[in-house]
Amino acid sequence: MGSPDLKRTRSATDKPTKERIYVRTLAPSDLEACVALEEAAFIPSERCPRETFSYRLKVCPELCFGIFTIRRNKEYLLGHAIATKTLSPSVTESSMAVSTPRHFPHNPAGPTIALHSLAIQPAYQGRYLGTTLLQEYIQRMSMGGCVQRIALIARNRLVGFYGRFGFRCKGVSPIKFGGGEWMDLVLEI
Ligand SMILES: CC(C)(COP(=O)(O)OP(=O)(O)OC[C@H]1O[C@@H](n2cnc3c(N)ncnc32)[C@H](O)[C@@H]1OP(=O)(O)O)[C@@H](O)C(=O)NCCC(=O)NCCS
């Protein structure tokens, strides 16, 4: 992607600073940063567990992207999009489950990308980083022709946010993860 500048104002009296941001695929070495971001962005009942991040970053890093900035020559993860593939046309409990020796939640033959976690560091929310990351994600996943759709579940308040990218709401998901009601959202590619 072209690297958009992020204008950031620390306080009303500070001069605005500019940070270069960029998107890259994640790797197993990004595990700790992803776990920390998940803890910062989600309430405990909605967080993906560490072992599930570890599994996804190992088996399908090509479906997992981060949006980063650099400070003092060190990368900082500002947001992530973490997914697996499934044969189902929507996100299932099975695709979200923790892997075991007998259960492999990621099916590389699946035509559906199940986008399990989209999160931006709270201090950076509302600055279009989520938009930038999701746009880039959709664009990269649309290349190659193997993917038919991207599916996710979201709370009702976020249906409008995903609708901007072309996701259609398919109604209430049967998934019970984290309590309360989730909506099924699907973007056909
Ligand atoms: C949801 C999330 C990924 C959005 O990323 P973001 O960088 O904060 O959002 P953006 O700045 O790109 O927002 C773009 C637009 O969507 C709107 N929007 C963002 N988050 C929203 C929310 N929770 N509810 C309603 N609208 C929202 C913004 O107001 C903005 O609208 P505008 O163009 O009219 O100003 C981010 O807020 C986040 O990580 N939230 C906590 C974790 C979470 O809920 N993830 C989604 C799981 S399904």
Side-chain angles (χ1 to χ4, degrees):
M1 67 185 273
S3 301
D5 283 332
L6 170 65
K7 290 188 177 130
R8 187 164 70 88
T9 310
R10 285 204 182 89
S11 79
T13 52
D14 281 345
K15 285 183 183 170
T17 57
K18 282 185 176 182
E19 294 180 70
R20 191 176 74 85
I21 60 164
Y22 58 93
V23 174
R24 68 159 171 83
T25 50
L26 294 168
S29 56
D30 294 306
L31 175 64
E32 295 310 323
C34 289
V35 170
L37 169 56
E38 189 83 358
E39 281 183 12
F42 289 99
I43 59 173
S45 60
E46 296 184 3
R47 284 176 198 153
C48 163
R50 169 187 295 269
E51 59 266 41
T52 303
F53 272 120
S54 176
Y55 169 80
R56 291 172 184 163
L57 293 176
K58 263 184 212 144
V59 302
C60 51
E62 73 281 4
L63 303 178
C64 302
F65 286 79
I67 187 162
F68 291 87
T69 191
I70 295 200
R71 283 181 220 137
R72 294 188 197 89
N73 293 325
K74 192 169 180 283
E75 270 191 321
Y76 284 90
L77 181 70
L78 300 178
H80 65 211
I82 310 276
T84 56
K85 279 186 176 174
T86 173
L87 291 174
S88 168
S90 56
V91 177
T92 59
E93 300 260 11
S94 167
S95 72
M96 295 171 68
V98 176
S99 70
T100 69
R102 286 194 295 176
H103 178 61
F104 305 99
H106 170 60
N107 186 332
T112 303
I113 290 179
L115 182 53
H116 299 293
S117 180
L118 177 73
I120 300 296
Q121 288 285 4
Y124 285 81
Q125 288 174 12
R127 302 177 190 201
Y128 295 97
L129 292 183
T131 296
T132 302
L133 178 57
L134 192 53
Q135 276 174 344
E136 182 78 4
Y137 193 86
I138 293 166
Q139 190 190 343
R140 294 199 196 187
M141 292 301 117
S142 304
M143 294 188 295
C146 307
V147 172
Q148 288 178 12
R149 65 189 67 78
I150 300 174
L152 57 87
I153 57 168
R155 297 300 189 190
N156 202 33
R157 66 178 183 276
L158 283 172
V159 167
F161 171 76
Y162 287 108
R164 296 172 176 222
F165 304 89
F167 283 84
R168 292 273 175 87
C169 184
K170 303 289 183 178
V172 178
S173 165
I175 288 172
K176 299 295 175 212
F177 169 78
E181 197 170 79
W182 294 94
M183 309 309 289
D184 263 324
L185 292 162
V186 177
L187 172 67
E188 298 291 343
I189 289 176

